[in-house]
Amino acid sequence: DSGVTQTPKHLITATGQRVTLRCSPRSGDLSVYWYQQSLDQGLQFLIQYYNGEERAKGNILERFSAQQFPDLHSELNLSSLELGDSALYFCASSYGQIQETQYFGPGTRLLVL
Amino acid sequence: AQSVTQLDSQVPVFEEAPVELRCNYSSSVSVYLFWYVQYPNQGLQLLLKYLSGSTLVKGINGFEAEFNKSQTSFHLRKPSVHISDTAEYFCAVSGGKGTYKYIFGTGTRLKVLA
């Protein structure tokens, strides 16, 4: 158990809908990272927050947004969902930033029908 | 810009044989290098990391990696694999000028055969 929790574990929804994925980092960690893992694209970095501020952006679509709240938990919002958004979404946390080990949550499996 | 290349998408190997998983990176500045492992239906977990100092890094489960600056490589090795090492292995790089990005390679699926 990494200490990072993600909810929900599974999510099934329809195209065009909006969902919110939630992540609670390990106690004391200030950074939260979001990743998308799919069979065709591999593991893609989406976005990173550090102590409430956005620090790095990867291949995140405009339909996706995220935020980190004062209690350091984070939410990833996916809107206008398409079939191709079906994937495993991981959250990871670390105390600091670039040289720190990331601790990954178990992931949220999203299926868009 | 930084990038990471994992040269092999799949590596089959017999139990108790040695294995090397290859990783090359591209960066114009000093970086930090990591290997993560993902077991089926689980998140990633750190095997080892290179930040500075000795170029030979030892990690968990008997794995080690060697940082080679001249060849821009960070290959992962294990002298004798077990069935339980069957998993996907990801090389990652972070650091570099003006970026907080953490770049993962495409992964290498290690299949240990009995």
Side-chain angles (χ1 to χ4, degrees), chain B residues 41-106:
Chain B
N41 300 312
Q42 293 187 28
L44 282 70
Q45 62 184 85
L46 182 74
L47 273 179
L48 48 81
K49 63 182 176 182
Y50 172 79
L51 301 181
S52 65
S54 172
T55 57
L56 184 62
V57 181
K58 293 192 184 296
I60 62 171
N61 301 340
F63 283 94
E64 63 180 33
E66 185 150 21
F67 170 61
N68 188 319
K69 190 173 181 180
S70 62
Q71 296 189 8
T72 59
S73 67
F74 190 54
H75 300 334
L76 180 71
R77 301 185 185 100
K78 186 169 182 177
S80 175
V81 295
H82 303 289
I83 296 285
S84 59
D85 292 324
T86 295
E88 187 142 22
Y89 292 78
F90 292 90
C91 181
V93 61
S94 75
K97 189 176 177 181
T99 179
Y100 293 100
K101 283 187 183 178
Y102 216 99
I103 309 295
F104 280 85
T106 50

Side-chain angles (χ1 to χ4, degrees), chain B residues 11-51:
Chain B
V11 173
V13 62
F14 285 106
E15 194 174 19
E16 296 184 8
V19 71
E20 179 180 82
L21 306 184
R22 297 180 293 167
C23 172
N24 285 90
Y25 69 93
S26 171
S27 177
S28 58
V29 297
S30 296
V31 295
Y32 308 111
L33 295 158
F34 306 79
W35 274 100
Y36 284 81
V37 61
Q38 184 180 27
Y39 297 105
N41 300 312
Q42 293 187 28
L44 282 70
Q45 62 184 85
L46 182 74
L47 273 179
L48 48 81
K49 63 182 176 182
Y50 172 79
L51 301 181

